[in-house]
Amino acid sequence: MNLILLDPNEINADGTVHLDDRRSRHIIEILGSQPGDRLQAGIVNGPVGSAEIISIKKQKKTATVVLRFSAEGLMPQTPFCDLIVALPRPIMLKRILAQAAELGVRKIFLINANRVEKSFFEANILKDEKYRQFLLHGLEQAKDTLLPEVSIHKRFRPFVEDFIPTIATTYSKMLVAHPETGAGLKQAAGNQISGRTLLAVGPEGGWVDFEIDRFIEQGFVPISMGSRVLKVETAVVALLSQLILLKGD
Amino acid sequence: MNLILLDPNEINADGTVHLDDRRSRHIIEILGSQPGDRLQAGIVNGPVGSAEIISIKKQKKTATVVLRFSAEGLMPQTPFCDLIVALPRPIMLKRILAQAAELGVRKIFLINANRVEKSFFEANILKDEKYRQFLLHGLEQAKDTLLPEVSIHKRFRPFVEDFIPTIATTYSKMLVAHPETGAGLKQAAGNQISGRTLLAVGPEGGWVDFEIDRFIEQGFVPISMGSRVLKVETAVVALLSQLILLKGD
C-alpha cells in the first residue's frame, strides 16, 4: 500500500477521515505510524495529496486511525487504454483486475467467448462490487486514484457487433491479441501511439476463428508476441506495458 | 500445456518416451488424445517437433502414455535478456519464474537486498531444484524449450561488485528498475535495443540508495514506468515485455 486511498464519502464535514479497516491496520502494523506523521494519500477518482495522522486508537480487535487529508496533486489524467478480457477464472481475474488498475487502465470490459467456462459468470467476485477491492489494491500499489470502470457482457455477438460500434470512434487504435498469427505490436501500430487504445485479450486457448473474424470486421488489428503463447494474465500485463512504451508518457 | 516438454534423458534407445506424470494425465484428461494423434512437443534445451502417441494405458491411479518424438524445428535461439531479481516471497517467486520462462529469459539471478526477508532464502522452492517445475510451466505455455538457468546469490555486495564485472562485457545494456526516479525505457535505451540485456528488479519497497549506487557504479542505467510503483511480479513482466518490443524480433 504505497498510497492510502480514501473514498470521497468518507470525508467528514471537518475534513477528517476515520479509518477502521485494513488501511488503519496497515498504518499501525506495517508503517508503524504515529500521530503527526504525514502519509501519501489520495481520493478515489480525485487528487493525490497527504494525510496527517490526527490520532490512533488501538484496541483488541479494532484499530482506528483519524486522518486529515490535504490535496496536493492534480486530478488524475484519464488513462489512454481500455481493456476487453474474455472472462477468466476468478483467481486469475483478481490478479488481472489489480494489475490492470496498477497499469492505469480506465475501462475493463469482461466478456463472454467460446472458450470461457459459463460457470465463471456465476463467480462471487462478479457480484456486489466484490471486484472493487482488487482494483483498489492496484491503485494503492501504483499510487493512482482513477478507479477503472468494470462492465460485464454475457453475450459475445451483441457486445462486438452492437456495442463496439457505439464506442469505436473514441479510439485511435483497436487491437486484438491473437497468438502466433498476429503481427508484433510495432508492426501493427508503429513506433508511436497517439490517442486512446482498446485492447482485447482472449481466454486460455484463445479466441475461436469466428470471434477473431468479428473483431477484425469491427476494425481491430490482430497482434501477438511472436511465436510465444502467453497466459492470459501475462498477456494483459505484457501488451499493456508495450502500449505504455509506445505511448511514451 | 501448449507443448509437451521431454527431458533428453527420457528418450529411450528406440526413440520412444514413456510418460507417467502430469503430462500423461494432461494428454488423456485435458486433450483427450488417442493413439495415432500427433502433439506439439519439444526437448528441454533442444528442438521442438511433434510426438506421435503410440499407446495409452489408463489404470486407476496411473496413466501411462508412450510417445515417439520427431524433431521438426531448429534448436532454440538463445534469448537476449537475463534477469536479476531480489529474492521475493515464495508464492511470488513461483509466478516470476514461470513468467520469466514464458517470456524467454535465459539466466535468472536471485539475489539478496536490504529489503529481502532473510527467511526467503530458506524457502523450500529454492531447494532440490523444486523451482524447475515452474520454469517448465512457463516453457510449456510459451512453446519454448530453453530452460532458464537459475543461480542464487546470498550476499549483495560480492554479487554486484565482484561477480557483475565478470559478466558485464557480455551485455550491451544493463538496466536497474528504480520506480519514480528512473527514466522511461525509451529515454534510457532509445527506440531499438541490439545485443544482450541484463535487467535488475528490486524487492517490494525497492532497492535502498546504497544498492542503487552500487548498480550505477557498475554501469547499470536506472529505469522506471513513470510515476507508477509496480509490484515486483508486474514489473518483471512489464519491463521484459517492453524490452522485447524494443528488441523487435
Side-chain angles (χ1 to χ4, degrees):
Chain A
M1 205 182 289
N2 296 312
L3 186 78
I4 307 295
L5 261 182
L6 308 169
D7 195 272
N9 299 325
E10 291 179 313
I11 302 176
N12 303 314
D14 66 352
T16 61
V17 184
H18 291 246
L19 300 182
D20 178 12
D21 57 13
R22 64 187 182 85
R23 291 168 298 177
S24 51
R25 288 195 299 277
H26 180 85
I27 290 168
I28 295 170
E29 292 165 17
I30 309 289
L31 302 180
S33 305
Q34 299 295 328
D37 288 355
R38 296 192 87 87
L39 304 174
Q40 288 192 288
I43 308 286
V44 173
N45 292 327
V48 293
S50 71
E52 187 188 348
I53 299 183
I54 309 293
S55 69
I56 291 180
K57 196 159 67 188
K58 209 179 158 181
Q59 285 171 325
K60 226 181 206 170
K61 292 249 171 186
T62 61
T64 311
V65 171
V66 181
L67 302 168
R68 182 172 282 113
F69 177 75
S70 327
E72 286 161 12
L74 302 170
M75 293 293 284
Q77 276 203 300
T78 301
F80 75 102
C81 191
D82 293 346
L83 181 66
I84 297 168
V85 189
L87 187 65
R89 64 183 64 250
I91 193 166
M92 195 182 273
L93 179 59
K94 293 174 185 177
R95 279 204 292 276
I96 288 173
L97 291 175
Q99 291 186 308
E102 207 178 324
L103 290 168
V105 167
R106 179 173 155 237
K107 290 186 183 177
I108 302 172
F109 305 97
L110 300 173
I111 74 166
N112 199 4
N114 189 276
R115 296 198 177 113
V116 168
E117 277 189 35
K118 297 305 160 269
S119 65
F120 295 169
F121 280 99
E122 308 307 318
N124 203 30
I125 183 181
L126 294 183
K127 286 180 193 145
D128 299 310
E129 299 219 327
K130 280 206 184 282
Y131 55 77
R132 187 183 154 98
Q133 61 179 305
F134 300 99
L135 300 172
L136 291 174
H137 290 169
L139 296 181
E140 289 163 354
Q141 171 67 43
K143 302 194 187 186
D144 194 359
T145 62
L146 202 63
L147 194 71
E149 295 166 24
V150 175
S151 59
I152 298 161
H153 305 265
K154 285 196 179 182
R155 293 173 62 212
F156 178 85
R157 277 188 82 160
F159 176 79
V160 175
E161 296 187 342
D162 304 332
F163 180 72
I164 289 289
T166 68
I167 59 171
T169 55
T170 63
Y171 298 105
S172 68
K173 281 256 183 294
M174 298 196 295
L175 305 166
V176 56
H178 195 36
E180 302 186 271
T181 52
L185 187 55
K186 255 190 182 174
Q187 287 75 48
N191 274 325
Q192 187 85 30
I193 286 183
S194 58
R196 300 180 52 72
T197 303
L198 178 59
L199 170 68
V201 177
E204 292 297 325
W207 305 106
V208 298
D209 289 345
F210 172 85
E211 291 159 350
I212 281 289
D213 291 346
R214 295 293 81 69
F215 277 116
I216 291 172
E217 248 172 35
Q218 297 297 331
F220 282 73
V221 178
I223 55 166
S224 78
M225 297 270 285
S227 64
R228 296 190 170 274
V229 182
L230 302 182
K231 279 176 73 171
V232 175
E233 58 187 299
T234 312
V236 166
V237 173
L239 293 171
L240 286 175
S241 302
Q242 293 192 338
L243 286 170
I244 289 169
L245 188 71
L246 291 188
K247 187 67 167 43
D249 55 15
Chain B
M1 204 183 287
N2 296 312
L3 187 78
I4 307 294
L5 261 181
L6 308 169
D7 196 272
N9 300 325
E10 291 179 313
I11 301 176
N12 302 315
D14 65 353
T16 61
V17 184
H18 291 245
L19 301 183
D20 178 14
D21 57 12
R22 65 187 182 85
R23 292 169 296 175
S24 52
R25 287 195 301 277
H26 180 85
I27 290 169
I28 295 170
E29 290 163 19
I30 309 290
L31 302 180
S33 304
Q34 299 296 327
D37 288 355
R38 296 192 88 87
L39 305 173
Q40 288 192 288
I43 309 285
V44 173
N45 292 327
V48 292
S50 70
E52 187 189 347
I53 299 182
I54 308 294
S55 69
I56 291 180
K57 196 161 65 187
K58 208 179 159 184
Q59 286 170 327
K60 227 179 205 171
K61 291 250 174 186
T62 61
T64 311
V65 171
V66 182
L67 302 168
R68 181 172 282 115
F69 177 76
S70 327
E72 286 160 14
L74 303 169
M75 293 294 285
Q77 276 203 298
T78 301
F80 75 101
C81 191
D82 293 346
L83 181 66
I84 297 168
V85 190
L87 188 65
R89 65 183 64 248
I91 193 166
M92 197 182 271
L93 179 59
K94 293 175 185 178
R95 278 204 292 275
I96 289 173
L97 291 175
Q99 292 187 307
E102 207 179 324
L103 290 167
V105 168
R106 179 172 155 235
K107 290 187 182 176
I108 301 170
F109 305 98
L110 300 173
I111 74 167
N112 199 5
N114 189 276
R115 297 199 176 114
V116 168
E117 278 189 34
K118 297 303 160 267
S119 65
F120 295 168
F121 280 99
E122 308 307 320
N124 203 30
I125 183 181
L126 295 182
K127 285 180 195 146
D128 301 308
E129 298 217 326
K130 279 205 185 282
Y131 56 78
R132 185 184 155 98
Q133 60 180 305
F134 300 99
L135 300 172
L136 291 175
H137 290 168
L139 296 181
E140 290 164 354
Q141 171 68 43
K143 302 193 186 185
D144 195 359
T145 62
L146 202 61
L147 195 71
E149 293 166 25
V150 175
S151 59
I152 298 161
H153 305 265
K154 285 196 179 181
R155 294 172 63 213
F156 178 85
R157 279 188 81 160
F159 176 78
V160 174
E161 295 187 341
D162 304 332
F163 180 71
I164 287 290
T166 69
I167 59 170
T169 56
T170 63
Y171 298 105
S172 68
K173 281 257 183 294
M174 297 196 295
L175 305 166
V176 57
H178 195 35
E180 303 187 89
T181 52
L185 187 56
K186 255 188 181 176
Q187 286 75 50
N191 273 326
Q192 187 86 31
I193 286 184
S194 59
R196 299 181 53 71
T197 304
L198 179 59
L199 169 68
V201 177
E204 294 295 326
W207 305 107
V208 298
D209 289 346
F210 172 85
E211 291 160 351
I212 280 289
D213 291 346
R214 295 292 81 68
F215 277 116
I216 291 172
E217 247 172 37
Q218 296 297 331
F220 283 73
V221 178
I223 55 166
S224 78
M225 297 270 286
S227 64
R228 298 190 169 274
V229 182
L230 302 182
K231 280 177 72 170
V232 176
E233 59 186 297
T234 312
V236 166
V237 173
L239 293 171
L240 287 175
S241 302
Q242 293 192 337
L243 286 170
I244 287 170
L245 189 71
L246 292 187
K247 186 67 164 43
D249 57 13

